[in-house]
């Protein structure tokens, strides 16, 4: 019975086939996003600077980080629809359901491609092209990889500096709490689940809606976020105003912020909330696949 649910040999064959199908549907788009975006940003910026200021100057770090974020957002939004959006169509969806693989194998393959393989490939290609451009033209400054490493080192230096502010108002325990929060926040592994949390909603939208998948996904996200904001705003506003008023009366009251249990366990709360959200989205995708019929 286990082999009917998940067979590694069968899954391997299906996974390879799924990669080929996704490459056929999204490969060109991935190359366009990961390679054309940094190249276009470079040529547009250098041309503009040359025409307006008569100097050859490449895009700075801030602009390249912004374009990188936009490119990754475009990849996250478009990939699930291109690779899996057609399974809601009658002919294509019927063929997909008849493929020799269990629902669990199809679900795992879908998750791996959407949340891990394609994002990693896109990030590697984009950062590689950015590094090549910066190596060829030093007016761009540091590449994004070097800038990210410098940011991490800066967070590490900030951790060590916190112990220098120990006095009668800021205890060693307070400084240690701040130091631990900075250490956790500066860890790149903390943001892995954020990629899942950004990608899974669009995968769910791709397999759930039959038409207007991207637009309806955005509308659903807007409605959910609006409802959460309406429910949370009264509580958060009173809490934030109390902290702000205390800070105006006593600048050192900012330490009360870090002594608060919420901030002490900020990273844990973030991990738990992201995990719950991701599991809920994965459950939605799983049940949609399970109930998909044509």
């Amino acid at each position: 019975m286990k082999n009917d649910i998940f067979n590694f040999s069968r899954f391997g064959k299906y996974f390879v086939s799924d990669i080929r199908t996704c490459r056929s549907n999204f490969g060109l788009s991935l190359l366009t996003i990961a390679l054309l975006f940094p190249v276009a940003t470079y040529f547009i910026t250098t041309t503009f600077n040359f025409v307006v200021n008569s100097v050859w100057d490449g895009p700075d770090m801030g602009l390249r980080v912004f374009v990188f974020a936009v490119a990754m957002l475009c990849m996250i939004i478009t990939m699930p629809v291109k690779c899996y959006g057609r399974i809601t169509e009658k002919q294509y969806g019927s063929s997909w359901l008849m493929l020799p693989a269990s629902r669990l194998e199809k679900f795992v393959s879908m998750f791996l491609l959407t949340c891990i393989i394609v994002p990693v490939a896109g990030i590697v290609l984009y950062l590689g092209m950015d590094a090549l451009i910066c190596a060829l033209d030093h007016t761009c400054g540091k590449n994004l990889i070097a800038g990210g490493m410098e940011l991490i080192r800066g967070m590490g230096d900030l951790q060590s500096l916190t112990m220098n502010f120990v006095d009668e108002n800021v205890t060693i325990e307070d400084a240690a709490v701040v130091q631990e929060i900075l250490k956790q926040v500066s860890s790149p592994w903390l943001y892995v689940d954020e990629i899942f949390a950004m990608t899974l909603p669009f995968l769910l939208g791709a397999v759930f809606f039959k038409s207007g998948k991207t637009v309806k996904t955005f509308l659903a996200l807007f409605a959910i976020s609006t409802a959460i904001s309406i429910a949370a705003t009264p509580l958060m506003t009173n809490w934030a105003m109390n902290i702000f008023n205390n800070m105006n009366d006593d600048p050192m009251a900012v330490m009360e912020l870090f002594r608060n249990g919420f901030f002490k366990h900020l990273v844990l709360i973030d991990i738990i909330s992201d995990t719950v959200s991701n599991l809920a989205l994965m459950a939605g995708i799983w049940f949609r696949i399970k109930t998909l019929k044509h």
Side-chain angles (χ1 to χ4, degrees), residues 184-194 267-268 270-271 274:
Q184 293 176 350
V185 170
S186 63
S187 173
W189 297 108
L190 177 65
Y191 304 98
V192 172
D193 58 354
E194 302 293 344
V267 174
L268 179 61
D270 176 71
I271 292 174
D274 286 344

Side-chain angles (χ1 to χ4, degrees), residues 78-110:
T78 57
M79 182 270 174
V81 174
K82 282 186 171 291
C83 289
Y84 299 106
R86 293 187 63 193
I87 68 174
T88 57
E89 299 176 7
K90 185 175 181 180
Q91 183 175 356
Y92 186 94
S94 298
S95 300
W96 185 80
L97 289 174
M98 295 300 293
L99 289 173
S102 68
R103 290 188 179 91
L104 179 60
E105 291 163 355
K106 292 175 181 177
F107 172 78
V108 172
S109 177
M110 187 182 291

Side-chain angles (χ1 to χ4, degrees), residues 269-290:
I269 293 172
D270 176 71
I271 292 174
I272 293 174
S273 62
D274 286 344
T275 301
V276 171
S277 299
N278 291 337
L279 289 176
L281 291 167
M282 292 170 67
I285 295 167
W286 165 255
F287 283 110
R288 175 55 175 162
I289 294 173
K290 188 176 180 179

Side-chain angles (χ1 to χ4, degrees), residues 244-259:
F244 182 76
N245 292 333
N246 291 335
M247 288 176 61
N248 287 337
D249 298 334
D250 180 12
M252 291 307 299
V254 69
M255 288 309 304
E256 292 295 331
L257 188 67
F258 293 98
R259 292 169 186 155

Side-chain angles (χ1 to χ4, degrees), residues 41-104:
T41 302
Y42 171 76
F43 279 110
I44 292 173
T45 304
T46 52
T47 301
F48 179 82
N49 288 333
F50 185 77
V51 171
V52 175
N53 302 319
S54 299
V55 294
W56 187 268
D57 192 15
D60 59 17
M61 178 68 74
L63 177 59
R64 286 186 289 118
V65 169
F66 173 76
V67 175
F68 173 71
V70 172
M72 294 302 102
L73 182 62
C74 291
M75 180 183 65
I76 287 171
I77 292 172
T78 57
M79 182 270 174
V81 174
K82 282 186 171 291
C83 289
Y84 299 106
R86 293 187 63 193
I87 68 174
T88 57
E89 299 176 7
K90 185 175 181 180
Q91 183 175 356
Y92 186 94
S94 298
S95 300
W96 185 80
L97 289 174
M98 295 300 293
L99 289 173
S102 68
R103 290 188 179 91
L104 179 60

Side-chain angles (χ1 to χ4, degrees), residues 122-162:
I123 291 172
V124 170
L125 287 172
Y126 193 104
L127 295 181
M129 178 57 68
D130 178 79
L132 178 61
I133 292 173
C134 292
L136 295 175
D137 188 351
H138 296 290
T139 62
C140 295
K142 296 179 180 178
N143 60 59
L144 293 177
I145 298 175
M149 296 299 294
E150 184 175 305
L151 178 62
I152 293 174
R153 287 195 298 269
M155 292 293 289
D157 294 338
L158 189 60
Q159 294 173 38
S160 60
L161 285 175
T162 55

